[in-house]
Each structure stands twice: as C-alpha cells, then as structure tokens.
C-alpha cells in the first residue's frame, strides 16, 4: 500500500495532497481480496458525540477505507480519550462498530460513552 509512516504513531497514512482522488492502496487491496473479516482501528477522541475521530486528517482516508472493507469493526481507545474532542471523524457510533476500551474506576469518562452507547448501535468491550 502507498502512503507514509507517521513517526510519532507508526501509523500508515495516505497523503491526499499526493494521491488526490485515487483509491488508496488499502482500498484497492481489500477490494481485490474481498474485504477483511476484522479490523482494529485506533482513535484519539470523539467528534460531537457522533463518532470516533482523530487529530490527523492524514489518517482519515486509511481508517475509512479499512473500516468500509471490513465485516467486523473495532475501535480501540482508552476511556480517558472520550472527553477529547477531535475534528476529523472517521466513523459514526451507529455504523455497527464495537469499541474496546479501558475501565479506569477513578474517572467518569467511561460513563459518558455508556450513555452514548444506549442511544446508538455502539457496543462496548471493557479490556
């Protein structure tokens, strides 16, 4: 797949400035393979109580392509990040996604996402 490795997170990302509207390598590869059974995607926070988000616009395209081509979708995020508002949403809470998170009993951050899960299709897995 094309793209670059972000030095701080080691995530593979596509640069829209370079690739414009062409299919990403992930999208093309997953289409040829018939998709993936399962994907695990990291998140940096949430967007307006609507979905999971990241701070980097360069990660959006890769995350969306992998999510769109996977049967089971898991977002991995620690509960402290539920209070962080990010501007680059990559999946809605209603998009049949499961979240794997932590239970920090010293924090009420998990309570907020539980309230959101009651109103959406979001399934929470505590690890």
């Amino acid at each position: 797949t094309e793209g670059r490795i972000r030095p701080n997170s080691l995530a593979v990302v596509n640069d829209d400035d370079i690739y414009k509207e062409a299919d990403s390598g992930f999208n093309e590869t997953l289409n040829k393979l018939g998709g993936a059974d399962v994907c695990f995607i990291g998140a940096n926070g949430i967007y307006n109580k609507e979905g999971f988000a990241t701070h980097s616009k360069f990660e959006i395209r890769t995350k969306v392509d992998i999510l769109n081509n996977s049967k089971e979708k898991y977002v991995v995020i620690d509960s402290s990040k539920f209070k962080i508002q990010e501007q680059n949403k990559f999946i809605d809470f209603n998009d049949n996604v499961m979240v794997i998170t932590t239970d920090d009993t010293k924090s009420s951050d998990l309570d907020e996402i539980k309230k959101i899960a009651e109103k959406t299709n979001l399934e929470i897995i505590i690890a």
Side-chain angles (χ1 to χ4, degrees):
T1 61
E2 79 283 347
R4 65 181 173 88
I5 303 290
R6 292 189 65 230
N8 60 335
S9 66
L10 299 179
V12 177
V13 297
N14 290 315
D15 286 315
D16 286 336
D17 294 338
I18 297 170
Y19 298 106
K20 304 287 183 212
E21 298 301 317
D23 280 347
S24 76
F26 285 115
N27 195 45
E28 183 179 337
T29 301
L30 287 168
N31 278 330
K32 287 180 182 176
L33 294 172
D37 291 327
V38 179
C39 72
F40 297 89
I41 302 290
N44 298 101
I46 63 172
Y47 176 82
N48 291 342
K49 297 185 180 183
E50 294 174 18
F52 292 105
T54 183
H55 61 275
S56 171
K57 70 176 184 151
F58 297 116
E59 294 181 21
I60 296 295
R61 187 171 175 188
T62 303
K63 289 178 187 289
V64 169
D65 287 345
I66 293 171
L67 287 161
N68 285 341
N69 286 285
S70 297
K71 294 174 187 139
E72 290 185 38
K73 304 164 185 156
Y74 294 87
V75 172
V76 182
I77 181 173
D78 68 81
S79 60
S80 68
K81 294 184 179 178
F82 293 133
K83 64 184 172 195
I84 299 174
Q85 291 293 311
E86 296 290 358
Q87 296 303 310
N88 300 292
K89 180 175 71 169
F90 59 86
I91 192 166
D92 287 328
F93 293 137
N94 278 317
D95 286 345
N96 296 318
V97 62
M98 292 172 267
V99 59
I100 299 174
T101 190
T102 56
D103 184 5
D104 182 358
T105 56
K106 299 175 188 172
S107 172
S108 63
D109 300 327
L110 187 57
D111 294 336
E112 185 65 28
I113 200 68
K114 285 180 178 178
K115 289 177 191 173
I116 291 170
E118 290 173 3
K119 299 174 186 174
T120 65
N121 294 334
L122 185 65
E123 183 178 332
I124 300 173
I125 299 168
I126 307 292

